[in-house]
Amino acid sequence: MKKKQVLLFIGIGLLINFVISAKEKSDIYYKGWIDFNKNGAKDIYEDPEQPVEKRVQDLLSQMTTDEKTCQLATLYGYKRVLQDSLPTENWKNEIWKDGIANIDEQLNGIGKGSCTAPDLIYPFSNHAKAINKIQKWFIEETRLGIPVDFSNEGVHGLNHTKATPLPAPIGIGSTWNKKLVLQAGEIVGKEAKALGYTNVYAPILDIARDPRWGRVLECYGEDPYLVSSLGVQMVKGIQRFGVASTLKHYAVYSVPKGGRDGNARTDPHVSPREMHELYLYPFKNVIREAQPMGVMSSYNDWNGEPVSASYYFLTELLRQQFGFKGYVVSDSEAVEFVESKHHVASDYEDAVRQVAEAGMNVRTHFTPPQDYILPLRNLVQEGRISMQTIDRLVSDVLRVKFELGLFDTPYIQDVEVSDKIVGADKNVNFVLDMQRQSLVLLKNDDNLLPLDKRKIKNILVTGPLAKETNYMVSRYGPQELENITVYDGIEDYAGNEISLSYAKGCEVIDKNWPESEIIHYPLTDTEKEEIDKAVSLARNSDIIIAVLGEDEERTGESRSRTSLDLPGRQQQLLESLYETGKPVVLVLINGRPLTINWANRFIPSILEAWFPNQMGGRAIAGTLFGEYNPGGKLPITFPKTTGQIQLNFPFKPGSQLGQPEVGPNGTGKTRVIGALYPFGYGLSYTTFAYSNLNVTPSRQRMQGEFKITVDVTNTGKRNGDEIVQLYIRDKVSSVITYDSQLRGFERVNLDPGETQTVEFTLKPEDFMLLDKNMDWSVEPGEFEFMIGASSEDIRLKQSIQVGF
């Protein structure tokens, strides 16, 4: 009997404690503030009226070493590392019982996530409720109630399974449209905010100078000014809605030796001057103009030093020179690589010490956060890392959380609103418009395009990518959407008026690929049959649309290539189709420039589509049939052969010229010269004329500005977009500068016969160079302003004088 009474009293006691605890938690929410530390008083860090820095320091003063170190690590989300979709009782036994810096990719539905917790992913309001529950646990169940920063990728649109998709970034770069990119960023930020994500890992500011590199498709292009200009707009768009933008990948990440990524990703052969003028330029400019709250440190080295363990990169450059005030998160495994790949640390714990002292705030990797937190605590306990260093790193993380408003409004206020604003179906017109604007017309002999439905009775759609969709599904963007293939788009436009036939023709690759790029293997009987089938149908068609290039498994992270030719048997298919004598339109699906020299010589029309979004098929078909006039321009040079790499814009004078054929050093012809398609190139179904270039003043002091105007006229018969490009050339300088540099661009839409005046303003920083002492300065002298339709198609020039 006594035993039962004891158990009864224990049960009653537990119930009372539960009720008291529940009451205490509900009592922490006051009008205008939250009692995060549950002490019944409004501490400085809990007071929204206090300055951010005072709030940071007050909170920091109350934190234990365990709580501080927990703010320096990422917890990867459900099914990545976290095994629970929602908080459980066991969380009290996990290391994040003392808090965590951020939770990455939680419930975004990517990969297997859409199968394991579908009700917490969609509808969107359920997702918002789930994020609120997780945030509520950290606020109410941890001692100091420090909110979590929920991070997620956003390179191709928000990385949620049903969010609004964007084209691959190389396609975004091809739009050359700052307003459009700003709108894209706003959609990403708005959707993130509604779903509970407070930090978006975008944009990628790497410049793609080696087309063999796998991640070319995730970059805006090869030119630092173009990448910087679009990056500023993307950051401003994302952060407009109170969501942090985290820049990737800092720094000198995009040029590993030989373009090799995968297990390499090291040893970029970049001089200090080139690093600052090209690879750091976008980071410096975007940080200064848009104030992003995050930066991701890369796992490569530069000049023998791992970037993520470099005080020079993470503190001197990033914070002291560029003025970055957010927090730095590591790329996955960057900490481990300091020991395992770069071998500059004697063991993993020493690698932890190095990155922390360098200025890396938060470690991210696909392993439990204690793998970083526990070594960090041990380093503090042993006196091998100072508390001053820890406090500095934690302060940066807390500052971002305060600036995001997480200590004032930590929860999604109206979870139901997410169902109304999130999703591709809410932004159909934008998704289609951005995809259209990313298309680049590379060739159009005899105006074969646009196709006239009244003159065509039979069309063959062929190629291994005509009915493929995997290139529309990105690891870094939405995945569970209904995608329109190129064939579907053409079928829809053809309707009942045109007879449509289809033959795959070949696979994307042959069974011996990539070895077949260096060793010739004869066609198999099956391959011959597939090509013959396509050729047979082609003979009975009025026109052939061949959809060729690369699929999702041929380009992307860790997918560098040793050749830029069409993979597999695609070249044989294309040549066989051409031999039928029927006109061929080549639609390219690819993530990098391809050396399509034969196609450029013999195929009459070529349309570059890159990796399109879910509306790709509709946008491509509409462009082929003339519903839309393509106006995109290449953000990256197409070389003729890998033997020319690097072949880029901008370039130093003489570095990409031909070779002497006569004279004392004349040797004749031994190499291929020039680009297949230069930077800034792109055709239209109409034509444009440039006139009335005016620069005021013609002479200006070194701290003054120049105003440039030019008239652009649509001289054709169709409405169309022209991308007006402004380049400058420093005629004489104390150090060698680039042959010319992009310093302005505008995309304008013109009706037939319409003229528009395009205006640019150049500021002193547009003329800056790194002098002999590696200091940025403006030197007096003559500059040439050049207006054109590409880096090689210059229409108007005028010289001016800076400094007098």
Side-chain angles (χ1 to χ4, degrees):
M1 184 68 179
K2 285 186 178 181
K3 186 176 181 180
K4 289 184 178 179
Q5 286 178 330
V6 171
L7 291 174
L8 178 61
F9 285 132
I10 291 173
I12 292 172
L14 289 173
L15 179 61
I16 291 172
N17 287 335
F18 176 79
V19 172
I20 292 173
S21 176
K23 185 176 186 300
E24 287 175 351
K25 290 166 187 173
S26 64
D27 285 348
I28 71 171
Y29 301 98
Y30 295 89
K31 185 176 182 180
W33 67 284
I34 300 172
D35 187 12
F36 290 100
N37 63 6
K38 300 102 181 160
N39 67 354
K42 184 191 288 188
D43 291 75
I44 292 175
Y45 87 91
E46 297 166 343
D47 186 356
E49 300 300 320
Q50 294 290 335
V52 167
E53 284 306 317
K54 287 187 67 175
R55 299 178 78 181
V56 169
Q57 293 308 312
D58 179 61
L59 175 53
L60 192 66
S61 70
Q62 298 186 39
M63 297 173 71
T64 65
T65 300
D66 285 359
E67 288 165 334
K68 290 176 181 179
T69 51
C70 277
Q71 292 299 315
L72 301 179
T74 292
L75 171 61
Y76 256 103
Y78 183 48
K79 292 302 181 183
R80 278 284 197 176
V81 170
L82 188 58
Q83 295 303 305
D84 308 306
S85 57
L86 292 172
T88 68
E89 191 64 31
N90 189 54
W91 281 24
K92 280 291 188 178
N93 301 317
E94 297 285 1
I95 200 163
W96 54 86
K97 69 181 183 300
D98 293 313
I100 201 74
N102 62 335
I103 299 179
D104 194 26
E105 298 189 5
Q106 175 66 349
L107 298 175
N108 61 8
I110 301 304
K112 297 179 180 179
S114 59
C115 302
T116 52
D119 294 340
L120 300 181
I121 296 165
Y122 189 82
F124 301 119
S125 53
N126 282 4
H127 184 279
K129 292 173 186 175
I131 295 296
N132 273 351
K133 287 180 181 178
I134 299 167
Q135 189 72 279
K136 185 181 179 70
W137 187 92
F138 280 93
I139 290 172
E140 296 184 357
E141 299 297 336
T142 63
R143 187 179 73 91
L144 294 175
I146 301 174
V148 172
D149 184 14
F150 288 95
S151 55
N152 198 3
E153 298 283 353
V155 175
H156 294 250
L158 184 68
N159 197 29
H160 185 279
T161 186
K162 291 182 178 291
T164 300
L166 304 179
I170 194 69
I172 296 174
S174 296
T175 69
W176 293 61
N177 190 328
K178 288 171 282 190
K179 292 180 181 178
L180 193 71
V181 175
L182 174 65
Q183 188 179 354
E186 289 172 345
I187 290 173
V188 172
K190 189 176 183 180
E191 291 189 331
K193 185 73 171 181
L195 289 171
Y197 297 114
T198 51
N199 195 327
V200 175
Y201 293 165
I204 288 179
L205 295 185
D206 303 304
I207 59 172
R209 305 285 286 181
D210 191 331
R212 295 169 297 182
W213 186 53
R215 303 191 77 170
V216 167
L217 85 161
E218 294 174 3
C219 304
Y220 290 151
E222 70 184 2
D223 178 78
Y225 184 87
L226 175 65
V227 172
S228 171
S229 299
L230 299 184
V232 165
Q233 300 306 315
M234 182 61 74
V235 171
K236 287 183 175 179
I238 291 171
Q239 296 198 159
R240 177 185 171 187
F241 292 92
V243 174
S245 168
T246 292
L247 311 179
K248 300 168 68 173
H249 304 86
Y250 178 81
V252 206
Y253 171 72
S254 56
V255 279
K257 184 179 180 182
R260 290 180 279 272
D261 50 2
N263 289 330
R265 296 165 164 166
T266 61
D267 196 19
H269 287 192
V270 176
S271 70
R273 184 175 300 278
E274 187 177 24
M275 178 181 74
H276 285 278
E277 292 176 337
L278 297 179
Y279 297 94
L280 292 179
Y281 182 95
F283 288 96
K284 179 184 70 173
N285 280 19
V286 171
I287 287 169
R288 291 179 175 176
E289 290 188 38
Q291 294 85 50
M293 295 185 183
V295 163
M296 179 180 290
S297 69
S298 57
Y299 35 57
N300 58 280
D301 61 304
W302 180 78
N303 196 30
E305 185 177 22
V307 170
S308 288
S310 169
Y311 185 82
Y312 172 70
F313 276 101
L314 300 190
T315 300
E316 290 182 5
L317 280 180
L318 191 61
R319 295 192 183 278
Q320 296 171 7
Q321 292 190 31
F322 299 169
F324 176 67
K325 299 185 185 303
Y327 76 79
V328 178
V329 60
S330 75
D331 203 346
S332 296
E333 211 168 349
V335 177
E336 288 76 6
F337 283 158
V338 173
E339 176 207 7
S340 65
K341 178 175 290 189
H342 302 301
H343 308 296
V344 298
S346 57
D347 54 30
Y348 173 64
E349 199 166 272
D350 189 51
V352 172
R353 178 193 61 79
Q354 288 190 37
V355 300
E357 291 184 340
M360 193 186 74
N361 300 95
V362 175
R363 175 265 197 184
T364 298
H365 189 32
F366 303 116
T367 68
Q370 54 263 36
D371 291 357
Y372 183 75
I373 294 170
L374 294 180
L376 200 56
R377 290 176 183 174
N378 192 51
L379 287 165
V380 173
Q381 186 177 2
E382 293 179 355
R384 294 169 58 198
I385 192 167
S386 70
M387 187 54 68
Q388 183 181 12
T389 296
I390 297 296
D391 286 352
R392 184 176 68 249
L393 298 175
V394 175
S395 294
D396 295 331
V397 177
L398 296 178
R399 185 179 303 111
V400 169
K401 292 186 176 185
F402 278 111
E403 290 178 346
L404 288 174
L406 292 178
F407 284 89
D408 304 323
T409 52
Y411 305 118
I412 305 162
Q413 298 296 299
D414 185 357
V415 296
E416 303 298 333
V417 77
S418 60
D419 291 326
K420 300 176 183 178
I421 66 173
V422 180
D425 58 318
K426 316 298 192 307
N427 300 292
V428 173
N429 291 336
F430 173 82
V431 171
L432 179 60
D433 185 37
M434 185 166 227
Q435 183 53 58
R436 284 171 166 171
Q437 292 199 40
S438 72
L439 301 177
V440 184
L441 184 63
L442 299 179
K443 188 181 179 185
N444 195 27
D445 285 357
D446 300 323
N447 295 316
L448 175 60
L449 295 177
L451 303 176
D452 190 342
K453 292 173 66 173
R454 298 168 299 178
K455 298 178 180 179
I456 299 172
K457 295 182 179 180
N458 300 286
I459 294 178
L460 168 65
V461 181
T462 185
L465 297 169
K467 289 189 174 183
E468 184 57 77
T469 62
N470 66 18
Y471 55 81
M472 300 181 188
V473 181
S474 166
R475 155 75 178 84
Y476 295 103
Q479 294 190 352
E480 298 292 330
L481 300 174
E482 293 184 9
N483 298 305
I484 301 172
T485 68
V486 177
Y487 179 87
D488 292 337
I490 295 171
E491 184 179 44
D492 182 58
Y493 271 90
N496 296 323
E497 304 170 55
I498 299 175
S499 176
L500 210 63
S501 58
Y502 166 78
K504 193 170 189 178
C506 66
E507 300 296 331
V508 174
I509 59 171
D510 60 277
K511 66 177 183 178
N512 295 304
W513 191 87
E515 187 182 51
S516 58
E517 292 182 339
I518 59 174
I519 298 175
H520 172 72
Y521 290 91
L523 291 169
T524 66
D525 290 341
T526 300
E527 289 171 339
K528 290 177 182 177
E529 290 173 7
E530 287 296 311
I531 292 177
D532 288 345
K533 180 180 178 181
V535 168
S536 178
L537 291 172
R539 291 195 178 103
N540 296 317
S541 300
D542 298 318
I543 195 160
I544 303 163
I545 299 175
V547 189
L548 308 178
E550 301 173 308
D551 63 354
E552 189 270 338
E553 295 182 6
R554 250 43 66 182
T555 185
E557 189 169 4
S558 298
R559 293 168 183 161
S560 57
R561 288 187 59 189
T562 46
S563 168
L564 298 178
D565 292 341
L566 290 169
R569 303 303 192 181
Q570 295 183 63
Q571 182 64 32
Q572 288 97 319
L573 171 64
L574 187 61
E575 292 184 22
S576 297
L577 295 170
Y578 171 76
E579 289 173 0
T580 65
K582 299 300 179 72
V584 179
V585 175
L586 172 59
V587 175
L588 283 177
I589 303 292
N590 48 305
R592 53 165 64 84
L594 297 178
T595 48
I596 53 167
N597 298 285
W598 187 91
N600 182 65
R601 176 66 60 86
F602 297 106
I603 302 301
S605 294
I606 306 173
L607 182 68
E608 174 61 80
W610 301 113
F611 270 22
N613 62 33
Q614 69 163 147
M615 302 293 285
R618 181 176 171 186
I620 291 167
T623 301
L624 295 178
F625 284 100
E627 179 186 88
Y628 180 77
N629 184 357
K633 302 276 189 175
L634 292 180
I636 187 170
T637 302
F638 275 50
K640 292 176 179 176
T641 169
T642 53
Q644 293 176 296
I645 296 172
Q646 292 184 8
L647 188 77
N648 304 110
F649 182 90
F651 56 89
K652 294 294 176 69
S655 64
Q656 294 180 182
L657 291 180
Q659 58 187 131
E661 297 181 27
V662 295
N665 293 317
T667 57
K669 295 180 179 180
T670 61
R671 60 188 175 93
V672 174
I673 306 298
L676 182 61
Y677 306 113
F679 174 78
Y681 172 84
L683 304 177
S684 171
Y685 295 156
T686 188
T687 54
F688 300 95
Y690 291 67
S691 62
N692 300 325
L693 173 62
N694 184 50
V695 181
T696 55
S698 60
R699 296 172 63 88
Q700 179 62 279
R701 298 183 185 278
M702 287 189 289
Q703 296 306 313
E705 297 182 352
F706 288 90
K707 181 179 178 181
I708 303 102
T709 59
V710 63
D711 290 342
V712 182
T713 303
N714 183 340
T715 53
K717 299 179 180 180
R718 298 177 59 94
N719 174 279
D721 288 358
E722 174 68 326
I723 297 171
V724 184
Q725 301 162 44
L726 167 64
Y727 298 88
I728 69 170
R729 175 177 292 143
D730 192 345
K731 301 298 284 290
V732 179
S733 51
S734 62
V735 295
I736 298 173
T737 57
Y738 293 98
D739 181 76
S740 65
Q741 293 177 280
L742 180 69
R743 283 298 179 262
F745 59 90
E746 290 294 335
R747 182 166 183 150
V748 295
N749 179 266
L750 298 170
D751 288 325
E754 182 183 0
T755 297
Q756 185 170 328
T757 300
V758 179
E759 181 177 313
F760 302 99
T761 299
L762 291 190
K763 300 179 180 180
E765 51 263 36
D766 293 314
F767 301 93
M768 281 186 172
L769 55 71
L770 274 174
D771 62 22
K772 291 181 179 179
N773 299 316
M774 294 297 286
D775 293 323
W776 287 101
S777 62
V778 178
E779 293 184 346
E782 183 182 358
F783 288 80
E784 188 173 40
F785 290 175
M786 301 171 286
I787 297 285
S790 82
S791 59
E792 293 187 1
D793 184 8
I794 301 300
R795 307 290 181 88
L796 301 169
K797 300 179 181 180
Q798 184 171 330
S799 292
I800 56 92
Q801 191 76 26
V802 174
F804 54 87

